[in-house]
Amino acid sequence: MVKKNKVAIIGAGQVGATTAFTLAIKGLVSELVLIDIDKEKAEGEALDINHGMPFLNPAKIYAGTYADTKDAEVVIITAGLPRRPGQSRRDLIHSNNRIITDIVQQLNKYADDPVIIVATNPVDLMALSAQKTSKQPKNKVFGSGTLLDTARFRFALAQNCKIEARSIHADIIGEHGEGELPVWSLANISGIPIAVYCDVCDRICEPEKREELFVEVRDAGMEVIRKKGATYYAIALTLARITEAILRDEHSVLTVSLYLDGYLGINDVSMGLPAVIGSGGIQRVINLPLSLDEQKSFIATAEVLKELAKDMEEFKHQ
Ligand code: APR
């Protein structure tokens, strides 16, 4: 059977449409369907990309329905409501949980065997909601998690160290947002542990520099939102990167929000950890050997997320 490289994107808003455009210009898909409750919006986005088709690798790009997800290899969920001014985080969790649950129930009905990537925020809780609702095994349902934060971290280190970002290997794990954690103990520059590299580097950084860089990374999303109202380019590239790893069966190590099943004694919560990603989704989770302090922070974040998840589940059944 010829591989179709078919992707469905649910939610053709800023993130969904930019992801569609990114997949199209990277030539990664031969078929791409956009699904949104606002059908006209999905149609408009598909049309806009289609008008550039003479300059793209050929692909069938269209607005569709859940029936069109049947043979999709990857489904990306970016549908959701933005946080309204004054709205609590809890309210946002409950409204987006309803949306994710409805969407995944539709996918259960129509999609044969997709890998589902959730981008809707708060992404770790929305990934958990999808993992619990989906008929797919947990390795096929995960969130974009801290991969965007990891990219921002590598960019910030690249700027600071004057080294290109691809030579920097440093992860942010945990929660995408408040509870994210930079893994300094394993960060390296082309295999050289960062502490060793700093000793031989001719740049002199203050001891506070690490914390400063991390805070800049943690708050980077809010900074973009303050300046331009929304973030979508970098998250679209993040989603396209994960999709590429799946479609090409790359076995790439990417930090995604995955269902934890015993790592550091943590269960039943979805959080950012590196995993080997390829055909069929997560092929292997990499249980990082964190320092003791890092373990404590990771466990503390898991506890916060568990409380929020419990509240989310109880509210759903009210
Ligand atoms: N089914 C399908 N589409 C839906 C549904 C639903 N039940 N509910 C909302 N949508 C669609 C909206 O019609 C809209 O087109 O989801 C889209 C959301 O788009 P935007 O409001 O532009 O939001 P965006 O900036 O794209 O962010 C989407 O991704 O990164 C995250 O935090 C971000 O949670 C947010 C999500």
Side-chain angles (χ1 to χ4, degrees):
M1 198 175 73
V2 180
K3 197 166 175 291
K4 272 182 101 175
N5 286 344
K6 177 169 176 178
V7 173
I9 298 180
I10 321 289
Q14 298 174 106
V15 174
T18 314
T19 303
F21 182 62
T22 308
L23 291 171
I25 59 173
K26 278 177 161 266
L28 283 172
V29 287
S30 53
E31 189 169 337
L32 174 62
V33 57
L34 285 162
I35 300 167
D36 198 292
I37 35 165
D38 183 348
K39 183 118 201 288
E40 285 237 313
K41 171 88 168 82
E43 284 170 359
E45 296 296 354
L47 202 55
D48 199 3
I49 299 172
N50 275 324
H51 290 162
M53 199 51 78
F55 317 119
L56 295 171
N57 286 347
K60 183 179 170 191
I61 299 175
Y62 58 101
T65 65
Y66 284 97
D68 297 304
T69 63
K70 182 173 168 48
D71 52 352
E73 200 171 332
V74 178
V75 176
I76 304 172
I77 304 178
T78 70
L81 298 173
R83 190 160 170 175
R84 293 188 309 270
Q87 186 187 31
S88 73
R89 188 177 186 217
R90 191 168 175 257
D91 280 351
L92 178 74
I93 293 170
H94 294 152
S95 44
N96 278 349
N97 183 33
R98 261 194 301 272
I99 292 175
I100 297 296
T101 306
D102 286 352
I103 290 171
V104 175
Q105 282 168 348
Q106 293 297 316
L107 295 176
N108 284 346
K109 256 192 250 167
Y110 291 101
D112 282 344
D113 187 25
V115 175
I116 300 173
I117 309 169
V118 180
T120 306
N121 275 314
V123 70
D124 299 285
L125 289 161
M126 295 308 116
L128 183 70
S129 166
Q131 284 151 0
K132 286 184 176 280
T133 311
S134 179
K135 65 176 187 190
Q136 293 294 83
K138 302 247 180 339
N139 71 309
K140 289 197 158 194
V141 186
F142 52 89
S144 50
T146 48
L147 187 56
L148 172 55
D149 312 87
T150 294
R152 287 173 175 154
F153 191 35
R154 290 171 64 189
F155 173 71
L157 285 168
Q159 297 286 102
N160 182 70
C161 306
K162 304 267 180 284
I163 285 185
E164 76 133 334
R166 286 181 305 179
S167 297
I168 294 180
H169 303 275
D171 282 324
I172 299 269
I173 59 168
E175 182 192 8
H176 170 61
E178 286 288 299
E180 64 189 44
L181 168 69
V183 189
W184 288 111
S185 67
L186 298 171
N188 69 78
I189 293 180
S190 284
I192 308 164
I194 204 140
V196 175
Y197 180 85
C198 289
D199 280 346
V200 294
C201 176
D202 52 9
R203 298 171 57 76
I204 308 294
C205 296
E206 301 298 316
E208 305 78 40
K209 192 69 200 175
R210 282 190 179 188
E211 184 58 17
E212 211 178 280
L213 279 171
F214 167 61
V215 170
E216 182 189 316
V217 168
R218 189 195 57 204
D219 299 344
M222 290 316 295
E223 168 88 354
V224 178
I225 289 171
R226 189 174 61 74
K227 291 191 161 146
K228 61 172 265 196
T231 70
Y232 39 91
Y233 295 129
I235 180 64
L237 283 162
T238 302
L239 292 165
R241 180 70 195 93
I242 301 170
T243 305
E244 179 178 37
I246 297 165
L247 295 178
R248 292 190 173 150
D249 191 21
E250 285 181 0
H251 302 243
S252 295
V253 176
L254 300 172
T255 313
V256 295
S257 184
L258 50 86
Y259 188 80
L260 290 185
D261 191 12
Y263 176 62
L264 300 178
I266 306 164
N267 291 294
D268 206 24
V269 71
S270 189
M271 286 170 79
L273 256 195
V276 179
I277 309 276
S279 168
I282 294 173
Q283 298 177 333
R284 200 164 65 245
V285 177
I286 300 179
N287 291 330
L288 290 178
L290 299 176
S291 71
L292 275 180
D293 281 348
E294 289 165 350
Q295 288 183 29
K296 276 189 204 151
S297 301
F298 193 88
I299 292 168
T301 298
E303 277 160 12
V304 172
L305 282 172
K306 273 199 148 182
E307 278 304 306
L308 289 167
K310 194 165 148 239
D311 180 58
M312 177 170 88
E313 194 58 24
E314 281 168 6
F315 186 87
K316 195 166 133 182
H317 297 293
Q318 270 172 25

